[in-house]
């Protein structure tokens, strides 16, 4: 059995995280999405428990105090955090978990006890103009929210250098293919294959029997 990976996707808002996260899960339904808790209001079409667990600040802070968050951060004026229970269950069962989180959360997970099983990927937009186009085209936010997200985009982009992989999300199909290649290769990392030691032991006894 292999060990589950923690796959972290970060980018400035609008660069394509949700779109690529969905494509990765369509490719492999065994990849679990880490449903974050947030204090922000649900957008039209978002379902409690699917995109996010929508909670109030008291409930959020209580979960943090109880040690129930793998990481948490304040983003765009709201609290966001990744509940740790489902993540531990999944990786112990050999399933990968996908996180759509910002650089603060990525840093906390990368510096945690789970760092050996973490794969972090940062998505860059092809240009800032295209980033704005995508936010506008998505039509989920009002003009003020889009302006706030654009203001914060440079802050997020400035952390690109601390990720394992960085992809420029220009052509969506190409980025998707690169993402799948990265995940496939990382699953084959020695640290992700706990059964290798046993396999080599078998090879050794076979070798000794035959020689
Ligand atoms: P994020 O989750 O990073 O905020 P989304 O995945 O919601 O970003 O993408 C923002 C918008 O850009 C969506 O309308 C999406 O369909 C579009 N989009 C994503 N990737 C590309 C791409 N490579 N080329 C063109 N449009 C894209
Ligand atoms: P949105 O409000 O657009 O869904 O998300 C805003 C930002 O918060 C995005 O950059 C997203 O990746 C980040 N985010 C979502 N969930 C979490 C989380 O659990 N932890 C952290 N640190 N960031 C998150």
């Amino acid at each position: 059995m292999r060990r589950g990976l923690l796959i972290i996707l970060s980018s400035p808002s609008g660069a394509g995280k949700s779109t690529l996260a969905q494509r990765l899960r369509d490719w492999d339904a065994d990849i679990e999405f880490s449903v974050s808790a947030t204090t922000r209001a649900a957008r039209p079409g978002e379902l409690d428990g699917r995109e996010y667990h929508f909670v109030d600040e008291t409930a959020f802070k209580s979960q943090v105090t109880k040690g129930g968050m793998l990481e948490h951060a304040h983003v765009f004026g709201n609290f966001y955090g990744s509940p740790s229970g489902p993540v531990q269950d999944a990786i112990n069962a050999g399933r990968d978990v996908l996180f759509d989180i910002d650089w603060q959360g990525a840093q906390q997970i990368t510096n945690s006890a789970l760092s050996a099983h973490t794969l972090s990927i940062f998505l860059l937009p092809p240009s800032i103009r295209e980033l704005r186009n995508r936010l506008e085209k998505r039509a989920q936010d009002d003009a003020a929210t889009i302006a706030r997200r654009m203001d914060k985009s440079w802050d997020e982009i400035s952390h690109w250098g601390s990720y394992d992989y960085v992809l420029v999300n220009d052509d969506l199909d190409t980025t998707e293919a690169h993402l799948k290649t990265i995940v496939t290769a990382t699953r084959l990392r020695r640290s992700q294959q706990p059964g290798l030691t046993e396999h080599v032991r078998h090879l050794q006894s076979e070798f000794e029997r035959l020689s």
Side-chain angles (χ1 to χ4, degrees), residues 9-13 17 36-38 40 43 46 52 71-76 80-83 100-106 108 138 149 156:
L9 269 186
S10 300
S11 78
S13 188
K17 281 182 306 292
S36 298
T38 182
R40 85 149 161 77
R43 297 191 192 118
E46 285 184 334
Y52 283 104
E71 60 75 32
H72 60 94
H74 199 238
V75 190
F76 303 131
Y80 293 81
S82 309
D100 170 341
I101 58 177
D102 83 331
W103 68 271
Q104 305 175 79
Q108 290 171 48
R138 188 168 70 178
R149 286 174 187 275
E156 189 70 28

Side-chain angles (χ1 to χ4, degrees), residues 103-117:
W103 68 271
Q104 305 175 79
Q107 207 166 68
Q108 290 171 48
I109 295 181
T110 307
N111 293 330
S112 76
L114 295 169
S115 63
H117 308 296

Side-chain angles (χ1 to χ4, degrees), residues 11-209:
S11 78
S13 188
K17 281 182 306 292
S18 319
T19 308
L20 285 155
Q22 191 53 53
R23 286 190 175 209
L24 209 52
R25 293 171 69 217
D26 291 344
W27 169 64
D28 182 348
D30 282 341
I31 298 179
E32 274 189 32
F33 180 66
S34 169
V35 180
S36 298
T38 182
T39 57
R40 85 149 161 77
R43 297 191 192 118
E46 285 184 334
L47 213 72
D48 188 29
R50 190 179 62 187
E51 280 81 10
Y52 283 104
H53 300 290
F54 296 99
V55 297
D56 63 24
E57 207 167 308
T58 312
F60 187 94
K61 288 187 169 161
S62 140
Q63 198 166 350
V64 171
T65 310
K66 284 190 227 146
M69 293 292 189
L70 190 56
E71 60 75 32
H72 60 94
H74 199 238
V75 190
F76 303 131
N78 290 295
F79 292 101
Y80 293 81
S82 309
S84 40
V87 178
Q88 288 292 352
D89 292 350
I91 60 165
N92 290 341
R95 290 194 307 274
D96 302 329
V97 184
L98 180 61
F99 296 81
D100 170 341
I101 58 177
D102 83 331
W103 68 271
Q104 305 175 79
Q107 207 166 68
Q108 290 171 48
I109 295 181
T110 307
N111 293 330
S112 76
L114 295 169
S115 63
H117 308 296
T118 297
L119 163 65
S120 63
I121 303 152
F122 194 88
L123 301 174
L124 285 171
S127 68
I128 299 299
R129 185 187 291 271
E130 172 63 9
L131 185 66
R132 182 180 301 127
N133 283 346
R134 288 184 191 173
L135 281 174
E136 284 166 359
K137 206 179 59 185
R138 188 168 70 178
Q140 273 181 342
D141 302 305
D142 56 33
T145 309
I146 290 180
R148 203 147 45 90
R149 286 174 187 275
M150 286 302 297
D151 280 349
K152 291 292 272 177
S153 66
W154 189 251
D155 183 35
E156 189 70 28
I157 290 174
S158 69
H159 296 279
W160 69 277
S162 35
Y163 285 73
D164 297 324
Y165 292 88
V166 178
L167 302 174
V168 178
N169 181 24
D170 191 351
D171 176 69
L172 191 53
D173 290 340
T174 305
T175 312
E176 179 188 352
H178 288 160
L179 198 55
K180 290 174 183 171
T181 303
I182 292 167
V183 170
T184 302
T186 310
R187 282 173 170 174
L188 295 171
R189 245 176 9 198
R190 185 159 45 88
S191 57
Q192 296 310 116
Q193 300 190 71
L196 282 181
T197 310
E198 189 59 22
H199 183 65
V200 172
R201 237 195 308 272
H202 281 119
L203 290 180
Q204 188 182 12
S205 41
E206 190 184 354
F207 183 79
E208 286 166 357
R209 260 199 326 275

